[in-house]
Amino acid sequence: MIRLDIFSDPVCPWCLIGKTNLDRALESRPDHPFRIEWHPFQLNPEMPKEGVGHVEYLAGKFGGKQRAIQAMLQVAEHAKKAGAEINMDKVLRLPNTLDAHRVIHWAGIEGRQTPMVARLMRAHWRDGEDIGDPATLARLAGEVGMDAAAVARLLATDADAEDIAARDMDARRKGVTAVPTFLIAQHYVVSGAQPVEVWQRVIDELGEKLAEG
């Protein structure tokens, strides 16, 4: 197996689009060699604990509400083409994602990391749920087979918070400046939401190299 390390944030729409494209490629190549691991990267590490209004945040980023709405519509169109479900009218808040990344980390210990990432992304982008809320996070963890009560107890503490923040900073020091960023076999870097065809080509080339020994 070949490690595919993915640096992402559940509230990054391009991470959702990139994951959707990768999923389609993996489904088309069921014998793919990848073993996937997800790594924390907060788009907004200084985000207040309670989060902020989504449109309000984007208005500040893009220079006005109208530009923010236009940017949201463009992202939604890209998502639709990829087959990713984004309901912009439901995404009212942009949360702090430190706790979401803690849950993804704990899910990894149980071998449920990818389902947890997928569930968090659906909750935020499709359903407009607040994935910065501990009760919501515990419930979503339970939905992918984790112990919801145990997750709730952990979220009430600072368990692994410093580790997640340190891993985020380490990724930045190593050159990760945006997400999604994919690291193949701890050597090759692929940035951005790549099309399905790119991933299919990567998988095919890796398969040929593995077959050659």
Side-chain angles (χ1 to χ4, degrees):
M1 299 297 286
I2 294 174
R3 247 178 73 175
L4 176 59
D5 295 293
I6 307 177
F7 297 84
S8 75
D9 195 335
V11 298
C12 163
W14 294 106
C15 291
L16 171 62
I17 294 168
K19 181 184 181 302
T20 302
N21 287 339
L22 175 61
D23 287 345
R24 288 172 60 193
L26 297 179
E27 288 168 5
S28 73
R29 302 291 191 272
D31 295 328
H32 69 82
F34 288 139
R35 174 172 59 84
I36 296 173
E37 293 186 23
W38 296 84
H39 300 277
F41 187 98
Q42 282 190 276
L43 280 179
N44 309 287
E46 304 304 321
M47 179 67 66
K49 181 72 173 176
E50 67 277 9
V52 298
H54 192 212
V55 175
E56 170 194 341
Y57 171 82
L58 292 179
K61 182 177 180 179
F62 290 106
K65 184 176 180 180
Q66 197 56 45
R67 288 184 179 179
I69 292 172
Q70 187 61 37
M72 291 166 67
L73 291 174
Q74 290 175 356
V75 168
E77 186 61 29
H78 281 286
K80 184 178 179 180
K81 290 178 181 177
E85 199 170 354
I86 289 183
N87 294 320
M88 284 296 186
D89 58 327
K90 290 187 176 182
V91 186
L92 302 180
R93 295 197 66 73
L94 192 63
N96 182 301
T97 55
L98 177 62
D99 283 348
H101 283 296
R102 288 204 289 161
V103 173
I104 292 169
H105 169 68
W106 299 327
I109 296 171
E110 298 186 18
R112 304 177 189 274
Q113 204 176 35
T114 294
M116 189 72 252
V117 170
R119 189 65 191 91
L120 287 167
M121 287 181 173
R122 284 199 309 275
H124 178 74
W125 290 111
R126 185 191 69 184
D127 304 328
E129 295 196 70
D130 181 4
I131 61 170
D133 174 62
T136 299
L137 288 170
R139 174 176 56 78
L140 296 174
E143 290 179 10
V144 301
M146 297 175 69
D147 185 330
V151 170
R153 288 194 296 271
L154 284 169
L155 286 170
T157 73
D158 293 328
D160 295 312
E162 288 187 5
D163 178 59
I164 295 298
R167 288 170 59 194
D168 184 310
M169 288 303 301
D170 184 61
R172 295 170 197 271
R173 283 194 295 268
K174 290 178 177 175
V176 178
T177 58
V179 286
T181 293
F182 305 86
L183 179 61
I184 302 170
Q186 298 179 285
H187 188 70
Y188 303 100
V189 176
V190 177
S191 299
Q194 297 297 325
V196 175
E197 296 76 18
V198 169
W199 283 113
Q200 289 173 329
R201 189 161 61 248
V202 168
I203 293 168
D204 292 343
E205 289 175 359
L206 288 171
E208 289 172 8
K209 289 181 180 179
L210 291 172
E212 292 169 358

